[in-house]
Amino acid sequence: MDESGTHEPDVWALILKEHGFVDVSASVIAAPPGSRRTTGTLLVRGVRGVRGGHEQPVASD
């Protein structure tokens, strides 16, 4: 966790893996150039482990 109290993308990926997700990715899209926003957007994706022979994709916010 950094000084602002937020997790880095690799920490989010580890959290998902610890909760049974596979094929996990996490990245930050930088704020648009020239924008007053300085914070980018965090994208986290994980697929639930195989259950009943089918992978079950899960959307994240």
Side-chain angles (χ1 to χ4, degrees):
M1 202 175 301
D2 66 18
E3 306 85 40
S4 68
T6 60
H7 296 299
E8 294 294 319
D10 58 338
V11 175
W12 280 109
L14 180 60
I15 291 169
L16 266 67
K17 288 177 184 177
E18 289 173 346
H19 286 87
F21 289 82
V22 297
D23 193 19
V24 174
S25 63
S27 60
V28 174
I29 298 175
S35 172
R36 294 186 304 195
R37 293 183 50 185
T38 58
T39 304
T41 300
L42 173 66
L43 294 177
V44 181
R45 177 190 176 277
V47 177
R48 283 196 193 269
V50 176
R51 189 172 17 172
H54 297 80
E55 289 186 348
Q56 299 181 8
V58 175
S60 61
D61 294 323

